[in-house]
Amino acid sequence: MSKRLKLLLTASVVIIVIAAGIVATREVSRQWLFENAQSQGEDRLLKYVGDIRRALRRYHYLPYLVTDHQPSRKLLTGDNSLHDDVGLYLAQLDKAANTKGWYILTPKGNLIASSRKHASWQKADGQTIADKLVRQGGEVVTVSKIVDGKARYFLAAPMYSKSVVIGIAVVKVDLSTLTESWLAENELVLISHREQKFFLSSSQRYSAEWLNSQAQGMAQQPPSVMQLASGTTLSTWQLGQEDYLVQTVQLDDLKWKIYYLTPLKEQIQTVYWLGVSTVILMVSMLILGLFIYERRQKLRSKQLLQELVIESEYWLRRMFSKTNVGLMLLDSQGKIGEINPTAMRYFSLSDSMVENIFAWQLFETTAGNSTVMLLLKNLANHHEWGEITAVEVMARRSDGSRFPVLFSITSLPWHDERHFLITAIDISKRKKAENALRAVNEQLEQRVQERTRALHSAQEELVQSSKMAALGRMSSAITHELNQPLTGLRTLLSSNELLIERGETKILRANMKLVDTLVERMANMTSQLKTFAFNRPEQLTATSLPDTLQQILRIHQQRLQGVDVRIRIPSHLPDVLGEPQRLMQVLGNLISNALDAVADTAEPSLVITASEQGKQVIIQVIDNGCGISESMLDNMFEPFQTSKKMGEGLGLGLSITANNVRDMQGTIRAANNVDDEGRQAAGVTFTVVMQIF
């Protein structure tokens, strides 16, 4: 970068700094002056609010001078002969109190007497006063009104006779007296009424009439907003050619708004002169600073450069000696120039040994990485070569013992000469840990294989035991179930021989019906066993749940008599993935079991619902029967598990149902019913989940 360009950049920076200083000074002073004006204005505004309140309170007692005046009371009761006396009395009060009129009204607001014979009383004012007295309950009320830009302020009090309002005493006050003290203070204070029109001003220059005529009324114009850094928001008006800080407060009871205007001319001039002073001061400081800077810069540059060189060498040697990695700095011949304490500890070297040893002598030459050995012996001949990083080699201590290290070497310029930096990390502990871990892994793998073989053997034995246990339960159940009808057949057949000899055909015919019943019972048992062993379907199809359920209900129509049956199935339920015959058997078994459970229930009920949830159809069969014990819920879908008496079933119904549901890629579960409070209720709910086709 040329000297001229540097000078130009420096001048630009100086100008920017000076400009920023001026702007910052002006802004800080402006913020402080405006915030101070805001604070003082708030104090003055509160003072004027207090003055207004005190001035109005002085008139508050005036209506009571009339409420107890007996002639006035008699005039209200109908004695018109006292009209002139009452008017004279009111005129005296008006003159003494320096007010604008005293009036006596009827309870409805009609004028009866006045302190001024030619007073222009507005009937609407009387009605307004009367209505406000009724609303506020009999105390002194105030009514303010603006006519032709001037304020009318009335105070009224009720006049009673035996707790009955017989009239109203009214005093009209001149509000112009409020501004007399403000004129002495030479401050600008304004008051506007609820229609946003000014009616009082402390300034003769900016009168209420002038303000209302400017820009269609200053009170209706939104002021300019100024935001200070402290978060304070200032409002300003421009009157004539001057700016004013505007602060307002609302008198809620009178609906008046009081404005206090602070002129900002003095603050703006102060900010200007502070900016000029800042320019002069900053230029002077800049010249002085440049002189001192140039003088010290030359001396400091030399001193700083020397300190940096010394500090760099110090920290470099400190890092070299304190690192926990073995470091060696070699010259181009392979001789050790610098070695840190860690490397000396690795190789068991002393200071005298380091002076007379080459780097290649510290590494194994008969085994290990031959490339590294050749490189260390011929460093002077390898002018162009890549770095070697983290190569495992065998190192040799001064006592001849060997140990593994991670070897790295890189070319490093040092004092205008070519040197080489060797990094060596002792990995003896890591190698021992790796060997130990390898041995442990081999032992662990061998133990896992042994345990796996033992588990396979135990699993085969467990499966065989389960098969034998299931076969035993099945044999016991079948034997018990078949023994009963077989015993009955034997008895009936023996009886039939005697009946044939005796010729008692009628009894013989009845016995034969019993024989047929027992044979049919045995056929049903074998049919269940055949169904239990039935193979899975080869292909599942779309099956209509409503059609299947309709057939099941028709089959059990006779058993369903006397049972409160409720079917809740949507009209557009999609078909499920299944097999019609198996789905019919599933629903038939669940409904049959539910009918068996409610057989002894006083008011039996059966609820069947179906709903679509995502890609599944949820089917529920709910009864209010005897329920199932908690101990049987876990294994109720296993074969030969039943809560019925001996002779009433093999316990294959729910097992067949569960197998059929699984064959149709569905699930089934059962749970005892609970009420809204979580307590167990009567009955069981079977839930079947089927896939949508």
Side-chain angles (χ1 to χ4, degrees), residues 560-595:
L560 291 172
Q561 293 180 357
V563 179
D564 182 14
V565 181
R566 300 181 183 181
I567 309 298
R568 299 171 182 169
I569 299 178
S571 58
H572 300 290
L573 189 69
D575 292 343
V576 298
L577 184 67
E579 187 182 53
Q581 189 62 30
R582 287 178 182 264
L583 183 59
M584 185 178 296
Q585 191 173 18
V586 168
L587 296 178
N589 283 342
L590 294 180
I591 293 174
S592 178
N593 283 347
L595 292 175

Side-chain angles (χ1 to χ4, degrees), residues 360-370 373 377 394 396:
W360 62 267
Q361 295 176 302
L362 300 177
F363 296 92
E364 185 63 54
T365 57
T366 59
N369 196 317
S370 58
M373 302 303 107
K377 284 186 176 182
M394 295 300 296
R396 184 170 56 185

Side-chain angles (χ1 to χ4, degrees), residues 15 17 45-46 54 92 104 107 124 128 147 168 189 267 299 325 378 383 386 452 468 562 582 590 673 685:
I15 293 172
V17 171
L45 182 60
L46 292 177
R54 285 190 295 272
Q92 292 173 352
I104 297 178
T128 302
V147 178
I168 303 172
V189 182
Q267 286 82 356
L299 298 175
V325 177
N378 301 279
H383 298 288
T452 302
M468 294 303 295
R582 287 178 182 264
L590 294 180
N673 295 334
T685 298

Side-chain angles (χ1 to χ4, degrees), residues 545-556 580-581 584:
L545 178 62
D547 294 345
T548 304
L549 183 60
Q550 188 175 7
Q551 296 180 32
I552 295 299
L553 295 177
R554 190 180 296 114
I555 294 172
H556 293 83
Q581 189 62 30
M584 185 178 296

Side-chain angles (χ1 to χ4, degrees), residues 552-553 555-565 587-601 604-608 621-626 644 684 686:
I552 295 299
L553 295 177
I555 294 172
H556 293 83
Q557 183 175 3
Q558 185 174 1
R559 295 188 64 190
L560 291 172
Q561 293 180 357
V563 179
D564 182 14
V565 181
L587 296 178
N589 283 342
L590 294 180
I591 293 174
S592 178
N593 283 347
L595 292 175
D596 292 340
V598 300
D600 298 329
T601 303
S605 68
L606 177 64
V607 180
I608 302 174
V621 179
I622 308 169
D623 63 68
N624 64 340
C626 57
K644 298 178 181 179
V684 179
F686 284 89

Side-chain angles (χ1 to χ4, degrees), residues 47-48 51 176-187 202:
K47 174 184 177 298
Y48 286 123
D51 290 345
S176 61
T177 58
L178 293 175
T179 61
E180 294 176 356
S181 62
W182 304 346
L183 289 171
E185 296 287 346
N186 197 23
E187 292 182 331
S202 65

Side-chain angles (χ1 to χ4, degrees), residues 225-383:
V225 177
M226 182 187 303
Q227 190 76 27
L228 298 183
S230 62
T232 304
T233 301
L234 305 182
S235 301
T236 61
W237 274 353
Q238 187 175 14
L239 299 179
Q241 299 298 324
E242 297 184 12
D243 292 329
Y244 289 85
L245 174 64
V246 182
Q247 293 169 278
T248 64
V249 66
Q250 179 86 23
L251 301 182
D252 294 332
D253 54 343
L254 301 175
K255 304 302 180 183
W256 292 356
K257 184 177 285 188
I258 303 175
Y259 301 79
Y260 181 78
L261 277 66
T262 303
L264 298 177
K265 182 178 180 180
E266 182 179 349
Q267 286 82 356
I268 294 173
Q269 290 179 348
T270 302
V271 170
Y272 171 77
W273 286 112
L274 282 174
V276 173
S277 302
T278 303
V279 173
I280 298 173
L281 179 62
M282 292 192 69
V283 171
S284 301
M285 292 179 63
L286 177 63
I287 296 173
L288 179 61
L290 288 174
F291 175 75
I292 297 174
Y293 175 78
E294 289 294 336
R295 185 175 181 181
R296 292 183 177 180
Q297 191 67 18
K298 294 181 180 180
L299 298 175
R300 187 166 182 80
S301 296
K302 282 186 178 181
Q303 182 180 358
L304 184 60
L305 184 60
Q306 293 176 353
E307 291 176 354
L308 287 175
V309 171
I310 295 172
E311 185 178 4
S312 298
E313 291 183 354
Y314 168 77
W315 284 110
L316 184 60
R317 290 189 176 277
R318 185 175 178 83
M319 288 188 293
F320 189 82
S321 62
K322 293 296 182 180
T323 182
N324 291 324
V325 177
L327 298 176
M328 290 181 287
L329 188 63
L330 312 181
D331 59 16
S332 58
Q333 302 300 320
K335 190 172 180 60
I336 300 175
E338 296 284 345
I339 185 170
N340 70 341
T342 303
M344 295 182 68
R345 186 176 68 254
Y346 280 173
F347 296 96
S348 301
L349 297 175
S350 62
D351 293 338
S352 59
M353 293 179 180
V354 172
E355 295 176 358
N356 302 308
I357 197 171
F358 289 89
W360 62 267
Q361 295 176 302
L362 300 177
F363 296 92
E364 185 63 54
T365 57
T366 59
N369 196 317
S370 58
T371 303
V372 173
M373 302 303 107
L374 292 174
L375 176 64
L376 292 176
K377 284 186 176 182
N378 301 279
L379 285 175
N381 299 328
H382 294 278
H383 298 288

